[in-house]
Amino acid sequence: MKKPYNEVIDVSRDNPHATGMKPMSFVRQVIASCIYPELIDSDKMPLDVRKRAKTLLECIGGSVGCYSDTIGIPIMRDSVSDFLTRRDEGVPSASGKIFITHGSDHGFGLLLTMLVRGDRSPLVGVLTPVPSQDFGNATLVASGATAVPYYLDGQQGWRLHTEELQRALRSAREVCDPIALYVINPGDPTGHVQSRESMEEIIRFVYEEKLLLFANEDHQDILIGEGCMFISYKKVLAEMGSPFSDAVELASIHSASKGFMGEGGLHGGYLELVNFDPSVQIEFDRLISLLVLPIIGQLALEVMLNPLQPGEPSYEHYQEEIQHIRETLVHNVTRAFEVLDSLPGISCEPINGGASMFPRLHLPHTAIHQAKEEQLPDFFYCSRLLEQTGLCVCPGSDLGLPEGTYHIRLCIMTSVDTMEEVLRRLGKFHKQFMKDFS
Amino acid sequence: MKKPYNEVIDVSRDNPHATGMKPMSFVRQVIASCIYPELIDSDKMPLDVRKRAKTLLECIGGSVGCYSDTIGIPIMRDSVSDFLTRRDEGVPSASGKIFITHGSDHGFGLLLTMLVRGDRSPLVGVLTPVPSQDFGNATLVASGATAVPYYLDGQQGWRLHTEELQRALRSAREVCDPIALYVINPGDPTGHVQSRESMEEIIRFVYEEKLLLFANEDHQDILIGEGCMFISYKKVLAEMGSPFSDAVELASIHSASKGFMGEGGLHGGYLELVNFDPSVQIEFDRLISLLVLPIIGQLALEVMLNPLQPGEPSYEHYQEEIQHIRETLVHNVTRAFEVLDSLPGISCEPINGGASMFPRLHLPHTAIHQAKEEQLPDFFYCSRLLEQTGLCVCPGSDLGLPEGTYHIRLCIMTSVDTMEEVLRRLGKFHKQFMKDFS
């Protein structure tokens, strides 16, 4: 059947290399040289690439075909620990509290699996933000835990209010045993970046309610808002001092799958535990060692943790690539707001970080009415958009949003050309849709 | 502290690239080119490498950084299915019954997890060969199943006797609900390759006892014995005809981690289900999709499934490398038997396939007596061997063997030089050990 478009563009989830973002050359050069060490001995790669690849190869036993140690290749934990200490300006980090993972989902999934098993109550709950990709997602379901929604404030840039957490916790306690609060910062798909004050409030909340704090900080290097900074939960916690800093149990994750690297296919991440009981750490160590880690993802992670330094031959090109990604993102967001602002019945909260935007659709009543005969209205909109234009975006209901407001998620980690085409298709479709149903 | 050796040689498990085996060049060239596509556009790689890498890159969305489809990259299932149909000389294989995995453990682990959850009885059992790396291993434990040992016959080349299976099954039924028989062929660490007759007997046994059959055929391309052939369980099952061929539920696994490829660090494998209920398949599909697959392991698997064909520029070199691995293995085994035969108190059953040998130690009574004051005698021997020579082998007790006979596992997928050094250290230590305790 002839389609009215040449190819599908899928911006429904964060998959930057599939939407025109280029991988970082240094990362790929190092990994290719580890895979095929003849490249190290030739002059086909820059000197710093060859040096880095040689060091890494020595760490992994001489070949990417060697099995990894179950705790990761030998230098990994220390690399993460040094990275964290630098990032958090001296807040100490111990390699024994760091666990190398297949990526963020893997780390949280295993931790949850362990906590669910150790808990004797019938149903373990995790307070989980809505909207989020992680709401009721595979990791939670597989672990046996249940996601209890708390709603971010779509009228105020998707901020998190403590009152809403309290409401969610009360309602959770009627159906399960809530043990943890899950936060995503920078937000995804919301684009919200939490302020220090908001983080302190959250820390006080989990302290008082005796909840574990799970922080997904996967998008920490993607900040778009003017002057917007990333602060880690670990740093805020440490700086709040006693009684919080030595009591709140925090698990935080990060990976090479998101951010500038965007190496989602390679599977390298870590999880850090803060203030957890040593027995939990030992058991987690045992559990995580059951699934051997792929080597290549760890190599990507290692390069992310130890970026090139000034003076190294590839440094300038590396910086240019990062700068290019940053400029592309800012450009994409600016252009997206220009187009959205020109369209009727669509609005979007400001974006300060992360890889997505999450505009709201103010759908005409007739569209809502017609949709509801078969499906949810946002889904109705998205399926038509896909059918008619080949543009795939994610309906808000897939991210946990209840019936009543309608949103779409579109990823902004794309090339400028892809973003232009996304906006062209969306704009044309949206105008016609609003006309057809007005 | 000064050690009496320069470096540790670890042949306790199958990790060929760590013990001097070279990776297959074509595999590495293709993967390196996918990682760093500039290599495709240059003349630095042979034409068939560039062509293959280009095709694969198109299949994965243009970058190894793209997330894989949860069922694997699009061509994978068909590639496995074509490979199986060729290998089994026309026995049909449907891509819908094939599941791409992180490697063998991953496939069986998930299948077991699912079966354990679906079973209402308190304890699910799997008949598991002893000796084996897989006895009571992480995968089984993590799934919640229990391993019920059946003992291979160490007096007859580690053959499997049906009477022993019957004994094991009877004893299992006293403590759990045995649902599956797990076989490893070619055997690991035993080096035994099953005959068609033996496989038919096993199929009749599982048919009569209504057990699932789990076949680990990871070492299928490593055959050492003169004229020794690999036949898959699937082929034997199909050729036995009714009632077996359409009733016995078989799950078989294979991966790029073992055999000629030996890419244990890359994580690519598959699992095929035969005669399983479609509802089981659907549920398994759902479960396996929860953990996204790493891309690089799939690329390695793809090259394993579609080896170079005569006429392609790299074909001859590829064949030479395979031939070299084969000759190295035969040489290693021959040399190992020469040395072992010259030593007192050590003997070994013949080796026909797989990556290990498993000689028996006839330890002096004084050694056994002294050891037992602290530990198991084979462990006592292995720790001294490691301490004094830096050679790491695996004691039979770690592979499930009960107290009474003593064995060590040593992997034979090593370079000729490594094997010589292994034998030199083992020979010197063993002679002294026997002298010290006689």
Side-chain angles (χ1 to χ4, degrees):
Chain A
M1 212 173 62
K2 181 83 183 97
K3 303 269 185 196
Y5 49 85
N6 286 329
E7 53 164 5
V8 168
I9 302 180
D10 183 357
V11 287
S12 66
R13 67 166 186 165
D14 184 14
N15 197 4
H17 296 176
T19 47
M21 277 297 206
K22 293 270 171 293
M24 306 281 296
S25 304
F26 182 70
V27 181
R28 294 302 187 87
Q29 289 170 324
V30 169
I31 298 178
S33 303
C34 289
I35 298 254
Y36 189 58
E38 280 76 350
L39 294 170
I40 298 178
D41 305 324
S42 74
D43 55 357
K44 288 164 195 159
M45 291 288 177
L47 196 63
D48 45 4
V49 167
R50 288 150 62 190
K51 208 171 137 192
R52 182 75 70 103
K54 212 170 155 217
T55 310
L56 287 174
L57 262 184
E58 278 162 18
C59 286
I60 61 176
S63 167
V64 300
C66 298
Y67 285 100
S68 166
D69 277 3
T70 52
I71 59 163
I73 56 181
I75 47 164
M76 286 307 302
R77 286 182 164 197
D78 286 341
S79 279
V80 176
S81 158
D82 293 348
F83 165 82
L84 291 174
T85 312
R86 281 195 316 272
R87 184 198 68 184
D88 294 335
E89 295 168 330
V91 177
S93 179
S95 60
K97 295 179 178 180
I98 287 157
F99 303 87
I100 308 303
T101 65
H102 283 246
S104 303
D105 278 357
H106 175 230
F108 273 154
L110 274 186
L111 186 59
L112 263 176
T113 302
M114 188 181 84
L115 296 168
V116 167
R117 276 196 199 164
D119 196 293
R120 287 167 198 196
S121 67
L123 200 54
V124 165
V126 178
L127 298 186
T128 305
V130 169
S132 77
Q133 185 74 46
D134 294 302
F135 183 75
N137 83 349
T139 309
L140 267 174
V141 174
S143 74
T146 192
V148 178
Y150 65 87
Y151 298 99
L152 303 172
D153 185 348
Q155 312 285 323
Q156 289 190 42
W158 301 104
R159 285 183 50 176
L160 195 174
H161 298 294
T162 319
E163 303 76 50
E164 167 58 12
L165 290 180
Q166 271 151 352
R167 183 209 58 76
L169 184 63
R170 274 195 307 276
S171 81
R173 285 191 171 136
E174 289 168 17
V175 292
C176 65
D177 175 22
I179 61 163
L181 169 67
Y182 178 52
V183 291
I184 306 172
N185 184 47
D188 185 67
T190 64
H192 178 70
V193 178
Q194 291 178 346
S195 66
R196 181 186 282 265
E197 293 66 38
S198 167
M199 295 165 80
E200 286 176 354
E201 256 184 56
I202 288 169
I203 288 172
R204 272 186 220 104
F205 170 78
V206 294
Y207 173 78
E208 279 155 22
E209 301 293 350
K210 297 191 173 35
L211 295 173
L212 310 172
L213 180 57
F214 288 179
N216 178 335
E217 297 176 321
D218 236 349
H219 288 103
Q220 60 188 263
D221 61 3
I222 313 226
L223 300 162
I224 302 161
E226 189 88 20
C228 195
M229 295 262 295
F230 169 78
I231 327 169
S232 73
Y233 266 96
K234 189 180 171 206
K235 183 160 194 273
V236 174
L237 182 60
E239 289 171 358
M240 281 173 78
S242 194
F244 309 102
S245 58
D246 37 10
V248 168
E249 292 166 280
L250 166 69
S252 72
I253 52 167
H254 186 21
S255 78
S257 298
K258 311 287 182 191
F260 293 133
M261 305 270 289
E263 296 287 6
L266 300 184
H267 291 235
Y270 69 83
L271 179 146
E272 184 186 28
L273 296 180
V274 177
N275 290 332
F276 274 71
D277 191 88
S279 69
V280 172
Q281 262 174 242
I282 292 168
E283 178 57 17
F284 189 58
D285 225 354
R286 197 192 65 78
L287 195 65
I288 210 162
S289 74
L290 296 186
L291 193 57
V292 182
L293 294 161
I295 290 285
I296 308 296
Q298 296 185 66
L299 299 180
L301 183 65
E302 213 282 333
V303 178
M304 181 186 90
L305 300 168
N306 293 299
L308 283 163
Q309 296 304 312
E312 297 190 78
S314 306
Y315 176 76
E316 274 186 34
H317 185 58
Y318 187 81
Q319 288 301 112
E320 279 164 21
E321 286 181 331
I322 291 185
Q323 190 57 23
H324 177 72
I325 295 173
R326 249 189 214 124
E327 284 166 7
T328 303
L329 276 173
V330 171
H331 174 92
N332 285 351
V333 171
T334 311
R335 275 294 294 142
F337 273 100
E338 275 171 25
V339 172
L340 296 184
D341 286 347
S342 75
L343 295 174
I346 198 163
S347 64
C348 189
E349 295 295 305
I351 309 293
N352 284 312
S356 301
M357 57 197 300
F358 196 57
R360 178 168 176 184
L361 305 172
H362 307 271
L363 298 179
H365 289 296
T366 44
I368 296 174
H369 185 76
Q370 187 178 327
K372 279 188 175 173
E373 288 176 8
E374 315 153 32
Q375 54 201 171
L376 291 170
D378 57 354
F379 192 79
F380 176 80
Y381 179 94
C382 292
S383 358
R384 292 187 159 226
L385 176 62
L386 177 58
E387 257 167 49
Q388 293 175 22
T389 74
L391 177 62
C392 182
V393 301
C394 180
S397 55
D398 262 11
L399 307 178
L401 274 190
E403 167 56 17
T405 62
Y406 311 110
H407 294 78
I408 51 171
R409 176 200 193 185
L410 42 146
C411 291
I412 53 175
M413 286 281 278
T414 71
S415 66
V416 165
D417 288 352
T418 303
M419 184 50 76
E420 283 304 325
E421 181 61 15
V422 165
L423 295 172
R424 197 190 62 75
R425 293 189 193 185
L426 180 66
K428 193 175 162 203
F429 167 83
H430 185 81
K431 273 187 241 168
Q432 191 61 47
F433 184 94
M434 296 302 279
K435 211 163 157 189
D436 291 350
F437 289 100
S438 64
Chain B
M1 212 172 63
K2 181 85 182 97
K3 303 269 184 199
Y5 50 84
N6 285 329
E7 53 164 6
V8 169
I9 302 180
D10 183 357
V11 287
S12 66
R13 67 168 186 165
D14 184 14
N15 197 4
H17 295 177
T19 46
M21 277 297 204
K22 293 270 171 290
M24 305 283 294
S25 303
F26 182 70
V27 181
R28 294 302 188 90
Q29 288 171 323
V30 168
I31 298 177
S33 303
C34 288
I35 298 256
Y36 188 58
E38 280 77 350
L39 294 169
I40 299 178
D41 304 325
S42 73
D43 55 357
K44 287 161 194 159
M45 291 289 178
L47 196 63
D48 45 4
V49 167
R50 289 151 60 190
K51 207 170 138 194
R52 182 75 71 104
K54 213 170 155 216
T55 310
L56 287 174
L57 263 184
E58 277 163 18
C59 286
I60 60 176
S63 166
V64 299
C66 297
Y67 287 99
S68 166
D69 276 3
T70 52
I71 58 164
I73 56 180
I75 47 165
M76 286 308 302
R77 286 182 163 196
D78 287 340
S79 279
V80 176
S81 156
D82 293 348
F83 164 82
L84 292 174
T85 311
R86 283 196 314 272
R87 183 198 68 184
D88 294 335
E89 294 167 331
V91 177
S93 179
S95 59
K97 295 179 177 180
I98 287 156
F99 303 87
I100 308 304
T101 65
H102 283 246
S104 303
D105 277 357
H106 175 228
F108 273 154
L110 274 187
L111 186 58
L112 263 177
T113 302
M114 188 180 83
L115 296 168
V116 167
R117 278 196 197 163
D119 197 293
R120 287 167 198 195
S121 67
L123 201 54
V124 165
V126 178
L127 298 186
T128 306
V130 169
S132 77
Q133 185 73 47
D134 294 302
F135 184 74
N137 83 348
T139 309
L140 267 173
V141 173
S143 74
T146 193
V148 178
Y150 66 87
Y151 298 99
L152 303 172
D153 186 347
Q155 313 284 326
Q156 289 189 44
W158 302 103
R159 285 184 50 176
L160 195 173
H161 298 296
T162 318
E163 304 76 49
E164 167 57 12
L165 289 181
Q166 270 149 354
R167 182 209 60 77
L169 184 62
R170 274 196 307 276
S171 82
R173 286 192 170 136
E174 289 167 17
V175 292
C176 64
D177 175 24
I179 62 163
L181 169 67
Y182 179 51
V183 291
I184 306 171
N185 183 49
D188 183 68
T190 63
H192 177 70
V193 178
Q194 290 177 346
S195 66
R196 181 185 283 266
E197 292 67 35
S198 165
M199 294 166 81
E200 286 176 353
E201 253 184 60
I202 288 169
I203 288 172
R204 271 186 222 104
F205 170 78
V206 293
Y207 172 78
E208 279 157 21
E209 302 292 349
K210 298 193 175 33
L211 296 172
L212 310 172
L213 180 57
F214 288 178
N216 178 336
E217 298 175 323
D218 236 349
H219 287 103
Q220 60 188 264
D221 60 3
I222 312 224
L223 300 162
I224 302 162
E226 189 89 18
C228 195
M229 295 263 294
F230 169 78
I231 328 171
S232 74
Y233 265 97
K234 188 179 170 204
K235 184 160 194 273
V236 173
L237 181 60
E239 289 172 358
M240 282 172 78
S242 194
F244 309 102
S245 58
D246 38 11
V248 168
E249 291 166 281
L250 166 69
S252 73
I253 52 167
H254 186 23
S255 78
S257 298
K258 311 286 184 192
F260 292 133
M261 304 270 287
E263 297 287 6
L266 300 185
H267 291 235
Y270 69 82
L271 178 146
E272 185 186 28
L273 296 180
V274 177
N275 290 331
F276 273 71
D277 191 88
S279 69
V280 172
Q281 262 173 243
I282 292 168
E283 177 58 15
F284 189 58
D285 224 353
R286 196 192 65 78
L287 196 65
I288 210 163
S289 74
L290 296 186
L291 193 57
V292 182
L293 294 161
I295 290 286
I296 308 297
Q298 296 184 66
L299 299 180
L301 183 65
E302 213 282 335
V303 178
M304 181 185 91
L305 299 169
N306 292 299
L308 283 163
Q309 296 304 312
E312 297 190 80
S314 306
Y315 176 76
E316 274 185 34
H317 185 59
Y318 187 81
Q319 287 302 113
E320 279 164 22
E321 286 180 332
I322 290 185
Q323 190 55 26
H324 176 73
I325 295 173
R326 249 191 214 120
E327 284 166 7
T328 302
L329 276 173
V330 171
H331 173 92
N332 284 352
V333 171
T334 311
R335 277 293 294 141
F337 273 100
E338 275 171 27
V339 172
L340 296 183
D341 286 347
S342 75
L343 294 174
I346 198 163
S347 64
C348 190
E349 296 295 304
I351 308 292
N352 285 312
S356 302
M357 56 195 301
F358 196 57
R360 178 168 177 182
L361 305 172
H362 307 271
L363 298 179
H365 288 296
T366 43
I368 295 173
H369 187 75
Q370 185 177 326
K372 279 189 176 172
E373 287 176 11
E374 312 153 33
Q375 54 200 170
L376 290 170
D378 56 355
F379 191 78
F380 176 80
Y381 179 93
C382 292
S383 0
R384 293 189 157 225
L385 176 62
L386 178 57
E387 257 166 52
Q388 293 174 24
T389 74
L391 177 63
C392 182
V393 301
C394 180
S397 55
D398 261 11
L399 306 179
L401 273 191
E403 167 56 18
T405 62
Y406 310 111
H407 293 78
I408 52 171
R409 176 199 191 187
L410 43 146
C411 291
I412 53 175
M413 287 282 278
T414 71
S415 67
V416 164
D417 288 352
T418 303
M419 183 50 76
E420 282 305 325
E421 181 61 15
V422 165
L423 295 171
R424 196 190 63 73
R425 293 188 193 187
L426 180 66
K428 192 174 161 206
F429 167 84
H430 186 82
K431 271 187 240 166
Q432 191 60 44
F433 184 94
M434 296 302 280
K435 211 162 160 190
D436 291 349
F437 289 100
S438 64

